[in-house]
Amino acid sequence: LHLPRMLSFWNADAARAERGQSPYEAVRSLWFDSLTYEPGALRSLIDLVGPARVVIGSDAPFFAEQPGYVLDRLHEQDPLSPEDLATIRTASAVEFLGLPHPPGGAA
């Protein structure tokens, strides 16, 4: 990941820092899919941007793996909270798509 290097460059110029967000702030405003093919990479992504910026990704119909399989494997190795799982599986996609949240916070 190049963010520490980008942050160093960003911090080297006070005028640059005054004009915009740091690289870390900027990356946390993006959306990412969970299809990293590696549970450890997905864990790092979730730790960096938070579960609310991660959605289930799929290469279907090109590959046969079930959508969300990397998230399932990560959860088997390093359990996520029920809230984080629900966020990644449902709520973040609802937010990304601009859909109304179901009553009772189910998404």
Side-chain angles (χ1 to χ4, degrees), residues 1-11 23-24 48:
L1 198 56
H2 292 282
L3 282 172
R5 186 175 186 185
M6 292 169 69
L7 182 63
S8 178
F9 176 77
W10 187 79
N11 283 331
Y24 282 90
L48 178 65

Side-chain angles (χ1 to χ4, degrees), residues 56-105:
I56 295 295
S58 170
D59 279 343
F62 305 105
F63 298 103
E65 292 280 356
Q66 173 80 13
Y69 81 94
V70 179
L71 180 63
D72 294 340
R73 289 185 184 156
L74 170 59
H75 186 60
E76 290 169 6
Q77 296 173 7
D78 183 13
L80 286 86
S81 72
E83 296 81 16
D84 286 353
L85 283 173
T87 295
I88 295 168
R89 287 187 173 140
T90 308
S92 58
V94 167
E95 187 71 27
F96 174 76
L97 294 170
L99 300 172
H101 289 271

